[in-house]
Amino acid sequence: MVVTRDTTIGEVLAADMEAARYFMEIGMHCIGCPSSSGESIAEACMVHGVSEDDLLSKLNEHFQSK
């Protein structure tokens, strides 16, 4: 899987629940709520004030290692 700014949190978690830790590390503790599953990576990062590039890098490294 390649994660982009338009990939939703739900798509990431459906591909691999272990990826949840990367959201939790940056304070996105609401990843289980229904509305967050439809949020894109870009939207979630903007709302939480975190670096989109850093999260994308971590997520893509995670999926490349699988």
Side-chain angles (χ1 to χ4, degrees), residues 1-3 10 13 15-17 31 35 42 44 49 59:
M1 173 176 198
V2 175
V3 183
L13 298 178
D16 186 358
M17 279 301 292
I31 58 173
S35 62
L59 290 170

Side-chain angles (χ1 to χ4, degrees), residues 6-11 33-40 43:
D6 297 318
T7 304
T8 65
I9 293 173
E11 291 169 329
C33 72
S35 62
S36 73
S37 66
E39 266 188 329
S40 70
E43 292 167 330

Side-chain angles (χ1 to χ4, degrees), residues 19-49:
R21 72 174 184 242
Y22 300 104
F23 295 101
M24 301 295 278
E25 284 175 0
I26 59 174
M28 291 185 189
H29 301 283
C30 59
I31 58 173
C33 72
S35 62
S36 73
S37 66
E39 266 188 329
S40 70
I41 299 296
E43 292 167 330
C45 288
M46 182 182 66
V47 168
H48 289 274

Side-chain angles (χ1 to χ4, degrees), residues 41-63:
I41 299 296
E43 292 167 330
C45 288
M46 182 182 66
V47 168
H48 289 274
V50 297
S51 170
E52 180 183 317
D53 291 334
D54 289 347
L55 180 56
L56 287 172
S57 177
K58 287 179 183 181
L59 290 170
N60 281 308
E61 286 177 24
H62 171 78
F63 283 106

